[in-house]
Amino acid sequence: MKIMSEVNKSIYSIIVLVAVFLAATGCDLTEAPKDSTTQDAVFSSETGLQLYTNSFYEYLPSADDITRGDGMSDYGATRSLGTIDFIIPGAWTAETHDQGWDWGRLRNINYFLVNNLNEDVPQEVRNHYSGIARFFRAWFYFDKVKRFGDVPWIDEPLDVDDPRLEGNRDSREVVMNHILEDLDFAIQNIRQNEVSSRTEITKTVALALKSRVALFEGTFRKYNSWLGLEGSADVWLSEAADASKQIMDGGAYSLYTGAGPEFSYRELFITDAPNSAEDILSVVSDEALGVRHTANWWLTSGTFGIGLNFTRQFINTYLMQDGTPFTDMPGHETLTFTEEVQNRDLRLSQTIRTPGYTRINAGAVVSAPPTFTYTQTGYQPIKWVVDDIGVDGGSNNTNSVTIFRYAEVLLNYAEAKAELGELNTSDWQQTIGALRERAGITGGINTLPVQADPYLQEVYFPDINDAVLLEIRRERGIELAFEAIRFDDIRRWGRGELMEQKWRGFYVPAANTYMDLSGDGEPNVYFYTTPDAPQDQIEGVQYVDVNREDFILSDGDSGELMWLPNIQKEWQQRKYLYPIPQVHIQRNTNLNQNPGW
């Protein structure tokens, strides 16, 4: 056996001690802390601090969390009502759902922070690792505030008999101010170096989180007047703009434009290595260790997953390549699938299956139109889906998944500045204009819009008359589609009612006839309203029954595909916050329930 060096012995010993220590401290908020002789070993060296804070990375969202994160969104149609039970009347109560009121992770973070005091370790080193811990505490509390509003602020690992465990919640203002303090400390103290792997917490990652947090809070306060916090919205919007601008001015990141002449948006989502130009923080798979994810399986299977598709209302928001709204085109309502996707924002063809999309089957390139064993709207997503069909049937994906990327920073900056009334032409060119130019759009990339799009107003934002804000919101939805951000966006904009939209699909001119979805003149699908499918069938054609209670054409024998047309979805003001699970109110009678629950 090879003899372990003294240095490696020391590191190995610390690893073991940290593992034991974390097992002792990573308990529920209401458990008593367990003293351990390992504390000095863990907190007396940079190696110990690093190993302890590495445990916090488990708290980051997983690849599956992100690729599945828009399962409940206004633009996503699904075959699984369990995914959207929050908006099904009577399906969600404080008594039947107990998710979210968990605090074990917080105790682990707080234990580190109150014990990272050993003066044998230089102050700068301790501050760096405390900055990482406070970054994770800020994110932990941000998730809690988004879900519950007021929550108890706790910055110590409390004993089981501590009276603060039986207290009420602290106000949203108090908790959010603490989150801001944690993020500012992280930004000031985490080491600046940018890591090429894009998998570690850096100063820029902390700035990106601050940009997201502050934009959420500023707009949530502005557009949810029932909170009574509109007067402080601009403070948060200014913080969002400042954090975003620091990243923009830093020069370390840029929009990825590809290595060749072809548009490269989809490359950001199907390559194994994070994109060094645009990705700020990513989840990376490790095939050797069996660490993979299920994006292909989730977004192609007719049985696994929820069958998530885009709706026609959202697909209509993609601009023409000349920068004009698609919905300004006369007769756009009755264009067929192959017609409506022509000459559009290039991101459309790299977000859903469109004519020309191919996959790889056992080494052979094959045409891949929308498949109705999966899709109900016809707008089948390809974002996060790699081309190899062999990956589809399990947890086989190794493509990296972004948590923060530079495009979001640009969008955050543009929106915050527009909300403050400070967005100028240069800002527009650097943000929305740059994103659209990358997507092949030629018109309106250098000038601020002046005319509000009536479609966006009618379908999405009836209370917004500012053309600039409307276009920023359009851009955000398109650029960040299926990146687990949409539900937060519509809540912070006070537009939860969008969750009630019908799930509409592409237009079918006539049932009981063949349709070409690949653009090659060959039939791909046959929608029938007769009792049975035709007996003489063409090989390779999908025969789809649209004379069902759950799947119809809007006008009987023609019209838009309508999935679950009779399902009742309901949004109420109370749903901008989730209820505190009743079991926890029973345990702590000082807790008060959220309004309406």
Side-chain angles (χ1 to χ4, degrees):
M1 178 182 293
K2 187 175 181 179
I3 303 298
M4 186 182 297
S5 71
E6 289 305 313
V7 172
N8 286 338
K9 281 182 181 178
S10 177
I11 294 174
Y12 177 77
S13 298
I14 293 174
I15 291 173
V16 172
L17 291 171
V18 169
V20 172
F21 192 66
L22 293 175
T25 59
C27 52
D28 185 82
L29 188 66
T30 58
E31 292 183 34
K34 302 175 180 65
D35 293 330
S36 173
T37 57
T38 63
Q39 179 172 329
D40 286 343
V42 171
F43 291 102
S44 62
S45 71
E46 179 167 3
T47 300
L49 300 182
Q50 181 180 19
L51 290 171
Y52 195 124
T53 55
N54 281 350
S55 72
F56 302 153
Y57 282 78
E58 296 179 6
Y59 306 161
L60 291 172
S62 69
D64 284 337
D65 289 336
I66 295 167
T67 59
R68 303 178 183 186
D70 278 347
M72 187 165 70
S73 59
D74 62 311
Y75 55 37
T78 172
R79 62 172 176 262
S80 172
L81 295 184
T83 306
I84 62 163
D85 59 353
F86 188 63
I87 60 169
I88 302 299
W92 191 291
T93 69
E95 290 75 22
T96 58
H97 290 75
D98 62 356
Q99 297 98 320
W101 199 260
D102 52 316
W103 303 89
R105 292 178 174 181
L106 176 64
R107 190 180 192 287
N108 191 23
I109 295 169
N110 282 341
Y111 203 103
F112 177 87
L113 287 168
V114 300
N115 286 284
N116 184 21
L117 303 172
N118 193 314
E119 294 183 358
D120 291 340
V121 180
Q123 184 73 51
E124 178 272 332
V125 173
R126 282 182 281 139
N127 284 349
H128 167 73
Y129 291 104
S130 288
I132 292 173
R134 292 182 72 168
F135 168 89
F136 280 101
R137 185 168 68 183
W139 200 336
F140 173 91
Y141 263 110
F142 178 49
D143 285 342
K144 287 288 182 281
V145 170
K146 284 191 299 180
R147 190 173 183 90
F148 298 114
D150 297 349
V151 291
W153 173 261
I154 297 171
D155 55 9
E156 299 176 59
L158 300 183
D159 291 340
V160 68
D161 57 353
D162 194 299
R164 284 172 289 181
L165 293 176
E166 299 300 325
N168 204 337
R169 299 185 283 170
D170 290 299
S171 70
R172 184 187 191 104
E173 303 97 296
V174 166
V175 177
M176 288 305 302
N177 285 339
H178 283 306
I179 290 173
L180 189 61
E181 290 169 359
D182 275 353
L183 287 172
D184 285 342
F185 182 92
I187 292 164
Q188 182 177 354
N189 290 283
I190 294 177
R191 292 167 183 159
Q192 173 62 31
N193 63 298
E194 300 301 337
V195 181
S196 60
S197 66
R198 298 298 194 250
T199 59
E200 295 184 24
I201 306 305
T202 64
K203 175 179 178 177
T204 303
V205 173
L207 281 166
L209 178 58
K210 181 179 177 180
S211 169
R212 182 184 292 182
V213 167
L215 180 67
F216 179 93
E217 189 63 13
T219 48
F220 197 95
R221 293 185 183 199
K222 181 172 182 176
Y223 292 105
N224 290 274
S225 58
W226 51 270
L227 272 182
L229 298 175
E230 304 99 309
S232 56
D234 283 0
V235 174
W236 286 92
L237 293 168
S238 295
E239 293 282 0
D242 177 69
S244 304
K245 195 65 164 63
Q246 287 189 57
I247 298 174
M248 294 163 64
D249 290 346
Y253 298 88
S254 60
L255 292 178
Y256 177 62
T257 55
E262 296 297 321
F263 177 57
S264 54
Y265 174 75
R266 187 164 169 252
E267 286 182 41
L268 292 166
F269 312 106
I270 61 171
T271 55
D272 285 3
N275 185 276
S276 60
E278 187 162 340
D279 290 349
I280 297 174
L281 182 66
S282 297
V283 182
V284 176
S285 297
D286 190 322
E287 194 165 6
L289 296 177
V291 179
R292 305 181 185 92
H293 60 96
T294 62
N296 270 47
W297 199 13
W298 188 260
L299 295 170
T300 62
S301 173
T303 54
F304 179 76
I306 63 173
L308 190 61
N309 301 270
F310 290 105
T311 64
R312 196 179 201 202
Q313 296 97 308
F314 177 69
I315 296 299
N316 282 346
T317 67
Y318 283 76
L319 295 171
M320 304 300 292
Q321 286 184 21
D322 64 5
T324 59
F326 166 74
T327 48
D328 282 356
M329 181 188 302
H332 72 270
E333 301 92 341
T334 55
L335 292 177
T336 64
F337 177 70
T338 56
E339 293 169 337
E340 70 175 331
V341 298
Q342 293 179 14
N343 302 315
R344 302 285 290 277
D345 178 332
L346 294 178
R347 285 170 295 190
L348 180 59
S349 63
Q350 299 203 15
T351 302
I352 64 168
R353 297 188 180 197
T354 56
Y357 174 66
T358 59
R359 302 197 71 201
I360 299 172
N361 187 7
V365 177
V366 295
S367 176
T371 173
F372 284 86
T373 56
Y374 175 88
T375 184
Q376 296 83 36
T377 66
Y379 303 119
Q380 183 170 349
I382 61 173
K383 193 169 181 177
W384 305 120
V385 177
V386 300
D387 292 337
D388 186 356
I389 291 174
V391 176
D392 292 357
S395 183
N396 300 318
N397 282 76
T398 58
N399 45 316
S400 62
V401 175
T402 52
I403 298 174
F404 295 109
R405 62 188 179 95
Y406 188 61
E408 183 195 347
V409 172
L410 297 181
L411 289 162
N412 292 350
Y413 178 75
E415 186 175 348
K417 294 292 280 187
E419 290 286 3
L420 291 165
E422 299 173 356
L423 189 81
N424 58 39
T425 300
S426 176
D427 294 330
W428 175 269
Q429 292 169 341
Q430 289 181 322
T431 57
I432 308 304
L435 288 163
R436 289 184 174 177
E437 184 176 24
R438 176 171 73 168
I441 295 172
T442 57
I445 60 176
N446 294 314
T447 56
L448 291 168
V450 294
Q451 182 174 350
D453 179 5
Y455 178 83
L456 289 181
Q457 289 183 300
E458 178 183 352
V459 177
Y460 284 97
F461 309 114
D463 297 327
I464 302 297
N465 296 312
D466 186 325
V468 173
L469 268 181
L470 287 170
E471 292 304 319
I472 290 171
R473 292 186 182 186
R474 182 206 303 271
E475 188 65 22
R476 186 176 181 88
I478 290 168
E479 179 67 28
L480 301 180
F482 275 23
E483 295 186 43
I485 288 176
R486 183 67 172 184
F487 188 57
D488 285 348
D489 280 350
I490 63 174
R491 288 192 301 139
R492 66 185 177 84
W493 292 329
R495 290 295 295 144
E497 292 82 3
L498 291 172
M499 294 298 299
E500 298 176 344
Q501 284 187 346
K502 296 291 186 181
W503 289 337
R504 294 162 42 197
F506 66 52
Y507 181 77
V508 178
N512 309 309
T513 188
Y514 290 96
M515 285 187 69
D516 168 25
L517 303 181
S518 299
D520 58 5
E522 297 296 323
N524 303 112
V525 66
Y526 183 102
F527 296 103
Y528 64 91
T529 56
T530 54
D532 298 298
Q535 291 187 349
D536 297 328
Q537 297 189 1
I538 301 174
E539 184 178 356
V541 171
Q542 306 170 75
Y543 292 87
V544 182
D545 183 0
V546 287
N547 188 26
R548 298 157 31 186
E549 184 178 350
D550 61 351
F551 198 24
I552 63 172
L553 296 178
S554 59
D555 298 321
D557 286 332
S558 65
E560 294 175 324
L561 295 169
M562 299 292 293
W563 174 242
L564 297 177
N566 299 315
I567 190 67
Q568 296 298 309
K569 294 178 283 186
E570 176 186 70
W571 187 266
Q572 299 170 313
Q573 181 175 298
R574 67 175 183 164
K575 294 188 177 183
Y576 285 101
L577 297 175
Y578 283 74
I580 297 176
Q582 189 63 30
V583 63
H584 295 287
I585 292 180
Q586 291 170 348
R587 292 174 185 170
N588 177 7
T589 56
N590 289 317
L591 286 177
N592 60 314
Q593 186 56 275
N594 277 329
W597 293 99

